[in-house]
Amino acid sequence: MLLQQKIVIKVQLHCRRCRSKAMKMAAMASGVNSVALAGEEKDQIVVVGEKVDAAGLTDLLRKKVGYATLELVQGVSVKA
């Protein structure tokens, strides 16, 4: 069994361009397997991967996109 992290980051996204920029930056982070939008207003980025630096990713999004807060870091077990 592999242990992966599920990270939820709330980001203030103003437009489609901001969404795509945030998704691209999250996908380029080291160890990321998948990226998705969540929440009623699609203002949460859900990242799943191994050994992802959650604080570093949140800081990067804060610098490049705007307001971002780390909501959840949770271990997810996946059968190999």
Side-chain angles (χ1 to χ4, degrees):
M1 278 200 332
L2 299 172
L3 186 63
Q4 295 188 341
Q5 292 176 316
K6 177 182 177 183
I7 302 166
V8 179
I9 302 171
K10 186 168 185 169
V11 183
Q12 192 172 22
L13 302 169
H14 302 288
C15 59
R16 287 184 183 178
R17 185 173 177 213
C18 293
R19 276 193 191 114
S20 68
K21 183 177 180 181
M23 294 279 287
K24 284 179 188 176
M25 289 189 340
M28 289 189 323
S30 177
V32 173
N33 293 338
S34 68
V35 179
L37 289 174
E40 287 182 23
E41 298 175 16
K42 300 291 184 194
D43 60 347
Q44 295 177 340
I45 296 178
V46 179
V47 177
V48 177
E50 297 177 34
K51 298 180 183 177
V52 179
D53 181 12
L57 180 58
T58 304
D59 191 43
L60 178 68
L61 289 170
R62 192 176 293 141
K63 286 179 183 177
K64 300 289 183 176
V65 178
Y67 179 79
T69 56
L70 185 59
E71 298 282 313
L72 173 73
V73 178
Q74 180 180 16
V76 179
S77 58
V78 178
K79 293 183 180 181

